Amino acid sequence: MKIMESAENYLETILILTKRTGSVRSVDIANELNFSKPSVSVAMKNLREKNLIRVGDDGLIELLPEGLAIAEMIYERHLLLTKWLEHLGVNPDTAVADACRVEHVISQESFEAIKNHILGHIENVTF
């Protein structure tokens, strides 16, 4: 399923917050992304309708299998591209910002080629 960049960002944020705190609510996403609560609420409704997340009666947000797969793919791209750019000498803040943009548009083929190159040439790359 091809989804919009904004949806990928929301899924990635849910994954990151889940790893960081163990649970996620819409307000956590709004605070993390500095978005309004109504904007996040609309996005969560759209992700629910696409069966990418589930929102429990307690308001906790859970990634469903397809949503988790997308979130993990985007997060892996983000981490690897950030480390690569930093290795090339890019300022860490710039590397994070640029990786955030690239992670959504790069093809799987190009990403895999970069990943294989990085893993073969840069020591101590961990995710």
Side-chain angles (χ1 to χ4, degrees), residues 6-56:
S6 62
E8 290 176 346
N9 279 331
Y10 279 111
L11 294 170
E12 180 184 26
T13 300
I14 294 166
L15 176 66
I16 290 167
L17 290 172
T18 300
K19 287 176 179 282
R20 187 185 307 156
T21 65
S23 63
V24 180
R25 289 187 164 85
S26 290
V27 66
D28 303 319
I29 298 166
N31 291 336
E32 181 76 11
L33 297 175
N34 200 26
F35 290 170
S36 72
K37 291 175 191 172
S39 294
V40 172
S41 180
V42 169
M44 294 306 102
K45 178 179 182 271
N46 290 336
L47 293 175
R48 263 193 334 271
E49 289 174 351
K50 291 182 168 102
N51 294 313
L52 299 172
I53 65 166
R54 174 183 354 204
V55 180

Short mmCIF file of all heavy atoms in Angstrom, two decimals, residues 6-56:
data_model
loop_
_atom_site.label_atom_id
_atom_site.label_comp_id
_atom_site.label_asym_id
_atom_site.label_seq_id
_atom_site.Cartn_x
_atom_site.Cartn_y
_atom_site.Cartn_z
N SER A 6 2.93 12.21 5.01
CA SER A 6 2.46 12.59 6.34
C SER A 6 2.03 11.36 7.14
O SER A 6 2.31 11.27 8.35
CB SER A 6 1.32 13.60 6.26
OG SER A 6 0.21 13.04 5.58
N ALA A 7 1.38 10.41 6.49
CA ALA A 7 0.98 9.18 7.18
C ALA A 7 2.21 8.40 7.61
O ALA A 7 2.24 7.84 8.72
CB ALA A 7 0.08 8.34 6.27
N GLU A 8 3.22 8.34 6.76
CA GLU A 8 4.46 7.66 7.13
C GLU A 8 5.09 8.32 8.35
O GLU A 8 5.57 7.64 9.25
CB GLU A 8 5.45 7.67 5.96
CG GLU A 8 5.04 6.80 4.80
CD GLU A 8 5.98 6.89 3.61
OE1 GLU A 8 6.82 7.83 3.54
OE2 GLU A 8 5.89 6.02 2.73
N ASN A 9 5.06 9.66 8.39
CA ASN A 9 5.61 10.37 9.54
C ASN A 9 4.86 10.05 10.82
O ASN A 9 5.46 9.87 11.89
CB ASN A 9 5.61 11.88 9.30
CG ASN A 9 6.77 12.34 8.47
OD1 ASN A 9 7.83 11.74 8.48
ND2 ASN A 9 6.57 13.42 7.74
N TYR A 10 3.53 9.99 10.74
CA TYR A 10 2.74 9.64 11.92
C TYR A 10 3.06 8.22 12.38
O TYR A 10 3.24 7.99 13.58
CB TYR A 10 1.24 9.76 11.63
CG TYR A 10 0.71 11.16 11.72
CD1 TYR A 10 0.29 11.85 10.59
CD2 TYR A 10 0.60 11.82 12.96
CE1 TYR A 10 -0.21 13.14 10.68
CE2 TYR A 10 0.11 13.11 13.04
CZ TYR A 10 -0.30 13.77 11.91
OH TYR A 10 -0.79 15.04 12.00
N LEU A 11 3.13 7.29 11.45
CA LEU A 11 3.43 5.90 11.83
C LEU A 11 4.81 5.79 12.46
O LEU A 11 4.99 5.11 13.48
CB LEU A 11 3.31 4.98 10.61
CG LEU A 11 1.91 4.83 10.03
CD1 LEU A 11 1.96 4.09 8.70
CD2 LEU A 11 0.98 4.12 11.01
N GLU A 12 5.78 6.48 11.88
CA GLU A 12 7.14 6.47 12.43
C GLU A 12 7.14 7.08 13.83
O GLU A 12 7.79 6.55 14.75
CB GLU A 12 8.09 7.23 11.51
CG GLU A 12 9.52 7.26 12.02
CD GLU A 12 10.44 8.10 11.15
OE1 GLU A 12 9.98 9.04 10.46
OE2 GLU A 12 11.65 7.83 11.20
N THR A 13 6.41 8.15 14.02
CA THR A 13 6.34 8.80 15.33
C THR A 13 5.69 7.88 16.36
O THR A 13 6.16 7.80 17.51
CB THR A 13 5.57 10.13 15.23
OG1 THR A 13 6.26 10.99 14.31
CG2 THR A 13 5.45 10.81 16.59
N ILE A 14 4.64 7.17 15.97
CA ILE A 14 4.02 6.21 16.88
C ILE A 14 5.03 5.15 17.29
O ILE A 14 5.14 4.80 18.47
CB ILE A 14 2.76 5.58 16.24
CG1 ILE A 14 1.67 6.63 16.05
CG2 ILE A 14 2.26 4.41 17.09
CD1 ILE A 14 0.53 6.19 15.14
N LEU A 15 5.80 4.65 16.33
CA LEU A 15 6.82 3.64 16.63
C LEU A 15 7.87 4.20 17.60
O LEU A 15 8.21 3.56 18.60
CB LEU A 15 7.49 3.16 15.34
CG LEU A 15 8.64 2.17 15.52
CD1 LEU A 15 8.14 0.85 16.07
CD2 LEU A 15 9.35 1.96 14.18
N ILE A 16 8.37 5.37 17.32
CA ILE A 16 9.41 5.98 18.16
C ILE A 16 8.89 6.22 19.58
O ILE A 16 9.56 5.89 20.56
CB ILE A 16 9.91 7.30 17.52
CG1 ILE A 16 10.71 7.00 16.25
CG2 ILE A 16 10.75 8.10 18.52
CD1 ILE A 16 10.99 8.21 15.38
N LEU A 17 7.68 6.76 19.70
CA LEU A 17 7.12 7.02 21.02
C LEU A 17 6.84 5.72 21.77
O LEU A 17 7.03 5.66 22.99
CB LEU A 17 5.84 7.85 20.90
CG LEU A 17 6.04 9.30 20.47
CD1 LEU A 17 4.70 9.98 20.21
CD2 LEU A 17 6.83 10.07 21.52
N THR A 18 6.41 4.70 21.06
CA THR A 18 6.17 3.40 21.69
C THR A 18 7.48 2.84 22.23
O THR A 18 7.53 2.33 23.35
CB THR A 18 5.54 2.41 20.69
OG1 THR A 18 4.28 2.95 20.25
CG2 THR A 18 5.30 1.06 21.33
N LYS A 19 8.56 2.96 21.46
CA LYS A 19 9.87 2.49 21.92
C LYS A 19 10.34 3.30 23.13
O LYS A 19 10.92 2.76 24.06
CB LYS A 19 10.91 2.60 20.80
CG LYS A 19 10.76 1.59 19.69
CD LYS A 19 11.78 1.85 18.60
CE LYS A 19 11.70 0.87 17.48
NZ LYS A 19 12.32 -0.42 17.79
N ARG A 20 10.06 4.60 23.10
CA ARG A 20 10.54 5.50 24.15
C ARG A 20 9.74 5.35 25.45
O ARG A 20 10.31 5.34 26.54
CB ARG A 20 10.46 6.94 23.66
CG ARG A 20 11.10 7.94 24.61
CD ARG A 20 10.92 9.38 24.19
NE ARG A 20 11.34 9.63 22.82
CZ ARG A 20 10.88 10.63 22.08
NH1 ARG A 20 9.98 11.48 22.55
NH2 ARG A 20 11.30 10.79 20.85
N THR A 21 8.42 5.27 25.34
CA THR A 21 7.59 5.35 26.55
C THR A 21 6.73 4.10 26.79
O THR A 21 6.15 3.97 27.87
CB THR A 21 6.66 6.56 26.50
OG1 THR A 21 5.73 6.41 25.42
CG2 THR A 21 7.44 7.85 26.32
N GLY A 22 6.59 3.25 25.80
CA GLY A 22 5.79 2.04 25.97
C GLY A 22 4.34 2.19 25.56
O GLY A 22 3.68 1.18 25.30
N SER A 23 3.83 3.40 25.54
CA SER A 23 2.45 3.61 25.11
C SER A 23 2.32 4.99 24.47
O SER A 23 3.11 5.89 24.74
CB SER A 23 1.48 3.49 26.29
OG SER A 23 1.75 4.49 27.25
N VAL A 24 1.29 5.11 23.61
CA VAL A 24 1.12 6.35 22.85
C VAL A 24 -0.35 6.73 22.80
O VAL A 24 -1.21 5.87 22.53
CB VAL A 24 1.65 6.19 21.40
CG1 VAL A 24 1.48 7.47 20.61
CG2 VAL A 24 3.08 5.73 21.37
N ARG A 25 -0.60 8.01 23.01
CA ARG A 25 -1.93 8.59 22.82
C ARG A 25 -1.79 9.73 21.82
O ARG A 25 -0.69 10.22 21.55
CB ARG A 25 -2.47 9.12 24.14
CG ARG A 25 -2.87 8.05 25.13
CD ARG A 25 -3.55 8.69 26.35
NE ARG A 25 -4.27 7.71 27.12
CZ ARG A 25 -3.73 6.94 28.06
NH1 ARG A 25 -2.45 7.05 28.33
NH2 ARG A 25 -4.46 6.07 28.72
N SER A 26 -2.90 10.17 21.28
CA SER A 26 -2.89 11.27 20.30
C SER A 26 -2.19 12.51 20.84
O SER A 26 -1.44 13.17 20.12
CB SER A 26 -4.32 11.63 19.89
OG SER A 26 -4.87 10.60 19.11
N VAL A 27 -2.40 12.81 22.11
CA VAL A 27 -1.78 14.00 22.70
C VAL A 27 -0.25 13.88 22.68
O VAL A 27 0.45 14.88 22.48
CB VAL A 27 -2.31 14.27 24.13
CG1 VAL A 27 -1.91 13.17 25.10
CG2 VAL A 27 -1.86 15.63 24.62
N ASP A 28 0.27 12.67 22.84
CA ASP A 28 1.72 12.46 22.79
C ASP A 28 2.26 12.77 21.40
O ASP A 28 3.33 13.37 21.26
CB ASP A 28 2.07 11.02 23.17
CG ASP A 28 1.55 10.63 24.54
OD1 ASP A 28 1.64 11.45 25.47
OD2 ASP A 28 1.05 9.49 24.68
N ILE A 29 1.51 12.35 20.39
CA ILE A 29 1.91 12.61 19.00
C ILE A 29 1.87 14.11 18.72
O ILE A 29 2.78 14.66 18.12
CB ILE A 29 1.01 11.83 18.02
CG1 ILE A 29 1.18 10.32 18.26
CG2 ILE A 29 1.34 12.19 16.58
CD1 ILE A 29 0.11 9.47 17.59
N ALA A 30 0.80 14.75 19.17
CA ALA A 30 0.67 16.20 18.98
C ALA A 30 1.84 16.93 19.62
O ALA A 30 2.43 17.84 19.01
CB ALA A 30 -0.66 16.69 19.56
N ASN A 31 2.20 16.54 20.83
CA ASN A 31 3.32 17.17 21.53
C ASN A 31 4.65 16.90 20.83
O ASN A 31 5.48 17.80 20.69
CB ASN A 31 3.39 16.70 22.98
CG ASN A 31 2.23 17.22 23.81
OD1 ASN A 31 1.64 18.24 23.50
ND2 ASN A 31 1.91 16.51 24.88
N GLU A 32 4.85 15.68 20.39
CA GLU A 32 6.11 15.30 19.73
C GLU A 32 6.31 16.05 18.42
O GLU A 32 7.41 16.49 18.11
CB GLU A 32 6.12 13.79 19.48
CG GLU A 32 7.38 13.28 18.84
CD GLU A 32 8.57 13.19 19.79
OE1 GLU A 32 8.40 13.32 21.02
OE2 GLU A 32 9.69 12.98 19.28
N LEU A 33 5.25 16.17 17.64
CA LEU A 33 5.35 16.79 16.32
C LEU A 33 5.01 18.28 16.33
O LEU A 33 5.12 18.94 15.30
CB LEU A 33 4.43 16.05 15.33
CG LEU A 33 4.77 14.58 15.08
CD1 LEU A 33 3.72 13.94 14.19
CD2 LEU A 33 6.16 14.44 14.47
N ASN A 34 4.57 18.76 17.49
CA ASN A 34 4.14 20.15 17.62
C ASN A 34 2.99 20.47 16.66
O ASN A 34 2.98 21.49 15.99
CB ASN A 34 5.32 21.11 17.41
CG ASN A 34 5.04 22.48 18.00
OD1 ASN A 34 4.26 22.62 18.93
ND2 ASN A 34 5.68 23.49 17.44
N PHE A 35 2.03 19.53 16.60
CA PHE A 35 0.83 19.68 15.79
C PHE A 35 -0.36 19.89 16.72
O PHE A 35 -0.30 19.54 17.91
CB PHE A 35 0.55 18.42 14.96
CG PHE A 35 1.53 18.17 13.83
CD1 PHE A 35 1.50 16.96 13.16
CD2 PHE A 35 2.48 19.10 13.44
CE1 PHE A 35 2.38 16.70 12.11
CE2 PHE A 35 3.36 18.85 12.40
CZ PHE A 35 3.30 17.64 11.74
N SER A 36 -1.44 20.40 16.17
CA SER A 36 -2.65 20.57 16.97
C SER A 36 -3.30 19.22 17.23
O SER A 36 -3.18 18.29 16.42
CB SER A 36 -3.64 21.50 16.27
OG SER A 36 -4.22 20.84 15.16
N LYS A 37 -4.01 19.12 18.35
CA LYS A 37 -4.70 17.88 18.68
C LYS A 37 -5.75 17.53 17.62
O LYS A 37 -5.87 16.35 17.25
CB LYS A 37 -5.31 17.97 20.08
CG LYS A 37 -4.26 18.00 21.17
CD LYS A 37 -4.89 18.20 22.53
CE LYS A 37 -3.80 18.49 23.55
NZ LYS A 37 -4.36 18.87 24.84
N PRO A 38 -6.52 18.51 17.10
CA PRO A 38 -7.49 18.17 16.06
C PRO A 38 -6.84 17.60 14.79
O PRO A 38 -7.36 16.67 14.18
CB PRO A 38 -8.21 19.49 15.77
CG PRO A 38 -8.07 20.27 17.04
CD PRO A 38 -6.72 19.90 17.57
N SER A 39 -5.68 18.14 14.40
CA SER A 39 -4.97 17.62 13.22
C SER A 39 -4.55 16.17 13.44
O SER A 39 -4.70 15.32 12.55
CB SER A 39 -3.72 18.45 12.92
OG SER A 39 -4.08 19.75 12.53
N VAL A 40 -4.04 15.88 14.62
CA VAL A 40 -3.61 14.51 14.93
C VAL A 40 -4.83 13.59 14.98
O VAL A 40 -4.78 12.46 14.48
CB VAL A 40 -2.82 14.47 16.26
CG1 VAL A 40 -2.54 13.03 16.68
CG2 VAL A 40 -1.52 15.25 16.11
N SER A 41 -5.93 14.08 15.51
CA SER A 41 -7.16 13.27 15.59
C SER A 41 -7.63 12.87 14.20
O SER A 41 -8.00 11.71 13.97
CB SER A 41 -8.24 14.06 16.32
OG SER A 41 -9.42 13.31 16.40
N VAL A 42 -7.61 13.79 13.26
CA VAL A 42 -8.00 13.50 11.88
C VAL A 42 -7.05 12.47 11.27
O VAL A 42 -7.47 11.51 10.62
CB VAL A 42 -8.04 14.79 11.02
CG1 VAL A 42 -8.16 14.47 9.54
CG2 VAL A 42 -9.17 15.69 11.48
N ALA A 43 -5.76 12.65 11.50
CA ALA A 43 -4.77 11.71 10.96
C ALA A 43 -4.96 10.31 11.54
O ALA A 43 -4.88 9.32 10.81
CB ALA A 43 -3.35 12.22 11.25
N MET A 44 -5.25 10.23 12.84
CA MET A 44 -5.45 8.92 13.46
C MET A 44 -6.70 8.24 12.89
O MET A 44 -6.71 7.03 12.67
CB MET A 44 -5.57 9.04 14.98
CG MET A 44 -4.29 9.51 15.68
SD MET A 44 -2.81 8.53 15.30
CE MET A 44 -1.98 9.61 14.13
N LYS A 45 -7.73 9.02 12.62
CA LYS A 45 -8.94 8.48 12.00
C LYS A 45 -8.60 7.88 10.63
O LYS A 45 -9.02 6.77 10.29
CB LYS A 45 -10.01 9.56 11.85
CG LYS A 45 -11.28 9.09 11.18
CD LYS A 45 -12.29 10.24 11.09
CE LYS A 45 -13.58 9.79 10.48
NZ LYS A 45 -13.61 9.92 9.04
N ASN A 46 -7.80 8.61 9.84
CA ASN A 46 -7.41 8.13 8.51
C ASN A 46 -6.57 6.85 8.61
O ASN A 46 -6.75 5.92 7.82
CB ASN A 46 -6.65 9.20 7.75
CG ASN A 46 -7.53 10.36 7.34
OD1 ASN A 46 -8.74 10.21 7.20
ND2 ASN A 46 -6.93 11.52 7.17
N LEU A 47 -5.65 6.80 9.57
CA LEU A 47 -4.82 5.61 9.74
C LEU A 47 -5.66 4.42 10.22
O LEU A 47 -5.41 3.28 9.81
CB LEU A 47 -3.67 5.88 10.72
CG LEU A 47 -2.62 6.89 10.25
CD1 LEU A 47 -1.61 7.17 11.35
CD2 LEU A 47 -1.92 6.42 8.98
N ARG A 48 -6.65 4.69 11.07
CA ARG A 48 -7.56 3.62 11.52
C ARG A 48 -8.34 3.06 10.34
O ARG A 48 -8.49 1.86 10.20
CB ARG A 48 -8.55 4.16 12.56
CG ARG A 48 -8.18 3.93 13.97
CD ARG A 48 -9.31 4.18 14.97
NE ARG A 48 -10.35 5.11 14.61
CZ ARG A 48 -10.33 6.42 14.83
NH1 ARG A 48 -9.30 6.98 15.41
NH2 ARG A 48 -11.34 7.18 14.47
N GLU A 49 -8.85 3.95 9.50
CA GLU A 49 -9.65 3.53 8.34
C GLU A 49 -8.83 2.72 7.35
O GLU A 49 -9.38 1.90 6.61
CB GLU A 49 -10.26 4.75 7.65
CG GLU A 49 -11.37 5.39 8.47
CD GLU A 49 -11.90 6.69 7.88
OE1 GLU A 49 -11.30 7.22 6.91
OE2 GLU A 49 -12.91 7.19 8.41
N LYS A 50 -7.52 2.91 7.33
CA LYS A 50 -6.63 2.14 6.45
C LYS A 50 -6.11 0.88 7.15
O LYS A 50 -5.24 0.19 6.61
CB LYS A 50 -5.46 3.02 6.00
CG LYS A 50 -5.87 4.12 5.06
CD LYS A 50 -4.67 4.92 4.60
CE LYS A 50 -5.03 5.82 3.47
NZ LYS A 50 -5.22 7.20 3.80
N ASN A 51 -6.62 0.61 8.35
CA ASN A 51 -6.20 -0.55 9.14
C ASN A 51 -4.70 -0.58 9.43
O ASN A 51 -4.08 -1.64 9.42
CB ASN A 51 -6.65 -1.86 8.48
CG ASN A 51 -8.15 -1.99 8.47
OD1 ASN A 51 -8.80 -1.76 9.50
ND2 ASN A 51 -8.71 -2.34 7.34
N LEU A 52 -4.14 0.61 9.68
CA LEU A 52 -2.73 0.71 10.01
C LEU A 52 -2.51 0.84 11.51
O LEU A 52 -1.43 0.51 12.01
CB LEU A 52 -2.09 1.89 9.27
CG LEU A 52 -2.15 1.80 7.74
CD1 LEU A 52 -1.67 3.09 7.11
CD2 LEU A 52 -1.34 0.62 7.25
N ILE A 53 -3.53 1.34 12.22
CA ILE A 53 -3.46 1.47 13.67
C ILE A 53 -4.78 1.03 14.29
O ILE A 53 -5.80 0.92 13.59
CB ILE A 53 -3.16 2.92 14.13
CG1 ILE A 53 -4.31 3.85 13.75
CG2 ILE A 53 -1.82 3.40 13.62
CD1 ILE A 53 -4.26 5.20 14.45
N ARG A 54 -4.73 0.81 15.60
CA ARG A 54 -5.94 0.57 16.39
C ARG A 54 -5.86 1.52 17.57
O ARG A 54 -4.78 1.71 18.15
CB ARG A 54 -5.97 -0.87 16.88
CG ARG A 54 -7.11 -1.19 17.82
CD ARG A 54 -7.04 -2.60 18.33
NE ARG A 54 -5.96 -3.29 17.64
CZ ARG A 54 -5.85 -4.59 17.47
NH1 ARG A 54 -6.72 -5.39 17.95
NH2 ARG A 54 -4.86 -5.13 16.84
N VAL A 55 -7.00 2.12 17.90
CA VAL A 55 -7.07 2.98 19.08
C VAL A 55 -8.01 2.30 20.07
O VAL A 55 -9.17 2.06 19.77
CB VAL A 55 -7.57 4.40 18.73
CG1 VAL A 55 -7.62 5.26 19.98
CG2 VAL A 55 -6.69 5.04 17.66
N GLY A 56 -7.47 1.98 21.24
CA GLY A 56 -8.25 1.30 22.26
C GLY A 56 -9.22 2.24 22.95
O GLY A 56 -9.16 3.46 22.80
#
